[in-house]
Amino acid sequence: MAVGISEVEIIKPRTDKREYRRIILSNSLEVLLISDPDTDKAAASMNVSIGYFCDPEGLEGLAHFLEHMLFYASEKYPVEDSYSKYITEHGGSTNAYTSAEHTNFYFDINADCLDDALDRFAQFFIKPLMSSDATLREIKAVDSENQKNLLSDAWRMNQLQKHLCSKDHPYHKFSTGNWDTLEVKPKAKGLDTRIELIKFYEENYSANLMHLVVYGRESLDSLQSLIESKFQDIRNIERNQISFLGQPCSNEHLQILVRAVPIKQGHTLRIIWPITPSIHNYKECPCRYLGHLIGHEGEGSLFYILKQLGWAVSLQAGEGDWSFEFSFFSVVIELTDAGHDHVEDVIGLLFKYICLLHKSGVSKWIFDEVASNFLFCIIEDFGMNKLLTYYLSVKLASICETDFHYRDKSPPIYYTVSVASNMQIFPPEDWLVASSLPSKFAPSTIQKTLDELSPENIRIFWESKKFQGYTDCIEPWYGTPYSVEKITASTIQQWVEKAPKENLSLPKPNIFIPNDLVLKTVQEKVKVPYMLRKSSFSRLWYKPDTMFFTPKAYIRIDFNCPHSNYSPEATVLTDVFTRLLMDYLNEYAYDAQVAGLYYAIHQIDTGFQVILVGYNHKMRILLETIVGKMRDFEVKPDRFSVIKETITKEYENYKFHQPYKQALYYCSLILEDQTWHWNDEFEVLPHLEADNLAKFSPHLLAKAFLECYISGNIEPSEAESIVQHIEDCFFSGPNPMCKPLFPSQHSTKRIVKLERGLQYSYPVEGLNQKDENSALVHYIQVE
């Protein structure tokens, strides 16, 4: 039975019609119930406040191994994998991940199957079996997962950063586990891994350290009855919340420059500072404020200058790995070859920008108006326990408030995982908000964090294949070659003094902040898109928003251009064309993305596409700018060289793709019509120069047909006006840029038809001989 229902008001978006209720069961399990009568999927997530920081010494990966083992069977459901089988047979998916201080289990399923799914799910935490047979098999599965990660630069570099920290701090640990840590070494010590596993479970998995989110179409009362009947038997051993005091980095781990050899081609510079965790000031958002400014990409920003110099391809800044006791602020810069040769200048410019922030002081108008670009955090991926870098868009003040209250619904499975994780960190009223609604302007808090971004507090990690053969250390878990050099604050000051004298500046006011959030009147309640307009130049499909009622829209325009893929050279040049467009637009359109208006220009099989999504108020301004850049396209040789270098590295790194990705690629290659092998494109790339693109781009757009789709908070007349404007830009005038296609030129994507009764096999050797993993794709063609 529930001890009680929370009287705390949980802050939710104004447009959110779902109902929420917080309850605490008699065993102290804290639960959030979410009732959504319109959902077709139910979901649940259980967050346990135990992670790999709790791994016993000499049993690295035990918490992760336990995560795997709980899936197998329980006393109530003894058939192995019956839980996972039930979920998949009823339209769902399930998985889990283990991070430093928590383990999260989650699933989704068809909405009418929640009852039985929860009954099976609850047994994870009541009476799991963890049989001897399953133990050995799952150790092999954990080892296989680790084998997959051994060739991942994200995993390798993250572990290197942890390795170069204090051995006495749990941050130093190896989180995943492998055959050696879970089987070989325990046996050598006379330990039985299964017994240690059960002991770990019994000593740590306690209801008072768990937070559960359940999402269903049932009423709150029905969901509560469901939870009370299924989860009240979870043991509560009153395990104290575990805290890990102390800092990962002592003085010997600061003021270091680490050179490391990655698997893939490319150069990455990571500048990292240990800082005070911003979670203690989450309503003040010091790291978001600073991450917004340092990571800005508009005119005068650090990235803008690095890009102008031809030294950087991307830059992200913000808070990374953190706990309640420690945190890191990171600036990650992907360098060009020229940037690699000017690393000291790059670091010097970064500190010049930090100096500018000190001189300018903390600005209230920036806090009030502008978004914080990216909260940089390294977490483990939902589903595959794979380390990924996430750049989570987070916003301050007016932008943040608009974004929260008009937030799009996310799939229930991801929503429950996110909220269950928040329950461990934030008070109940902020479980949905988390840190996305900063409400307190505190210059001293921001200044304190800025002061921590100092030369005395720095850790620099510099990754490049060019360091191959010039390192003297090996990281033990992933085998990453590296070397460490001590640097002083005076050395960094010398870099600052000799850095280029560029005009760094703070961002200007954002013209893309939406201030018209009025919903347009929908005359016709259409359920599917319909053709609103057709001409010899274009076709417009349209659907107004009749379900979500948010001031947002979606525009997609496919430019079907017959000349885009008639040869490997054409395919590559089309790719460069779209990337250069994005590159040219970046300084201008970056503010639009900050304000919740996103765009993309991508190559597709029949040409390229332009996509805009977000707040509709100023969407047309951005679209007309994009169209203008396309119409007046010119090739800048310096930017062409940078884009060509980036694409070249992508082709060179293709062989390092995981085997299953390579297998999927070959499957598509043999099925799709008019597709060039990646190696054909790679071979022509070195011979292409800026002049080739200058000659090709008018040819690319000489003939085109526009397939358009517009939906959301846009009226039919406005949608027609948008397409008419694009037609006028490309097809009007005495010498139009584009001409319409002949009927025979309207291409369709063609797939090879597999004849009934025949089977085809296509074995291919993996491109990376050092990768011990293999993959099998079984493709079945249906109607």
Side-chain angles (χ1 to χ4, degrees), residues 49 190 220 299 381 577 635 749 763:
S49 299
L220 290 175
E299 189 172 349
D381 180 36
F577 170 78
V635 183
K749 190 168 183 175

Side-chain angles (χ1 to χ4, degrees), residues 531 533-534 537-541 555-561 604 606 608-610 704-710 723 726 731 746-748:
M531 191 188 303
R533 180 182 185 275
K534 185 178 181 181
F537 313 115
S538 71
R539 184 163 51 182
L540 169 61
W541 299 86
I555 297 176
R556 169 172 162 171
I557 303 162
D558 284 10
F559 285 75
N560 294 323
C561 307
I604 56 176
T606 57
F608 64 94
Q609 67 183 199
V610 177
F705 182 81
L706 313 184
E707 194 79 57
C708 310
Y709 174 56
I710 299 178
V723 175
I726 298 172
F731 296 97
H746 286 261
S747 58
T748 58

Side-chain angles (χ1 to χ4, degrees), residues 61-281:
L62 192 66
H64 176 217
F65 178 44
L66 175 59
E67 169 221 307
H68 278 240
M69 286 297 294
L70 294 185
F71 278 80
Y72 265 80
S74 63
E75 194 171 283
K76 186 173 182 179
Y77 297 99
V79 178
E80 287 193 357
D81 284 334
S82 61
Y83 159 77
S84 298
K85 184 179 180 184
Y86 180 83
I87 296 292
T88 54
E89 286 179 348
H90 294 84
S93 60
T94 181
N95 225 305
Y97 66 92
T98 303
S99 65
E101 295 184 88
H102 68 263
T103 305
N104 195 296
F105 304 84
Y106 57 94
F107 72 87
D108 68 355
I109 199 165
N110 291 337
D112 56 354
C113 301
L114 179 61
D115 189 321
D116 286 343
L118 284 174
D119 197 54
R120 289 164 168 78
F121 186 59
Q123 300 308 309
F124 281 33
F125 316 102
I126 298 173
K127 286 189 177 180
L129 284 183
M130 294 189 278
S131 69
S132 299
D133 290 345
T135 299
L136 192 60
R137 286 200 304 273
E138 204 55 30
I139 288 176
K140 293 179 179 178
V142 169
D143 185 69
S144 178
E145 186 176 327
N146 180 65
Q147 288 289 331
K148 169 181 65 69
N149 297 333
L150 291 179
L151 298 178
S152 164
D153 282 326
W155 280 97
R156 292 163 67 88
M157 296 308 165
N158 182 256
Q159 188 63 46
L160 180 58
Q161 291 169 42
K162 296 196 292 184
H163 178 67
L164 294 174
C165 285
S166 173
K167 295 180 180 179
D168 297 327
H169 196 281
Y171 184 71
H172 179 79
K173 289 183 176 182
F174 169 54
S175 63
T176 310
N178 58 27
W179 181 259
D180 196 42
T181 67
L182 295 172
E183 175 65 14
V184 177
K185 288 183 178 178
K187 268 190 176 179
K189 296 177 181 178
L191 297 176
D192 184 319
T193 302
R194 178 172 175 267
I195 293 175
E196 296 300 319
L197 184 75
I198 294 171
K199 179 182 175 183
F200 183 84
Y201 176 83
E202 291 179 345
E203 290 180 352
N204 292 289
Y205 270 50
S206 178
N208 69 308
L209 294 184
M210 298 181 183
H211 296 89
L212 174 66
V213 178
V214 177
Y215 189 115
R217 64 164 58 144
E218 294 85 352
S219 68
L220 290 175
D221 288 341
S222 297
L223 288 172
Q224 181 171 334
S225 297
L226 204 60
I227 298 309
E228 289 173 354
S229 65
K230 299 185 185 304
F231 289 87
Q232 63 183 354
D233 291 335
I234 298 176
R235 297 175 314 131
N236 178 14
I237 60 173
E238 298 185 354
R239 178 77 154 90
N240 291 330
Q241 183 74 42
I242 305 169
S243 59
F244 301 91
L245 304 177
Q247 296 298 312
C249 298
S250 61
N251 287 335
E252 68 175 292
H253 306 116
L254 300 176
Q255 291 187 292
I256 57 172
L257 171 59
V258 181
R259 293 175 173 86
V261 181
I263 295 294
K264 293 184 177 181
Q265 292 289 344
H267 321 288
T268 304
L269 184 64
R270 304 177 194 272
I271 301 98
I272 301 170
W273 295 269
I275 60 165
T276 303
S278 66
I279 188 62
H280 299 296
N281 307 100

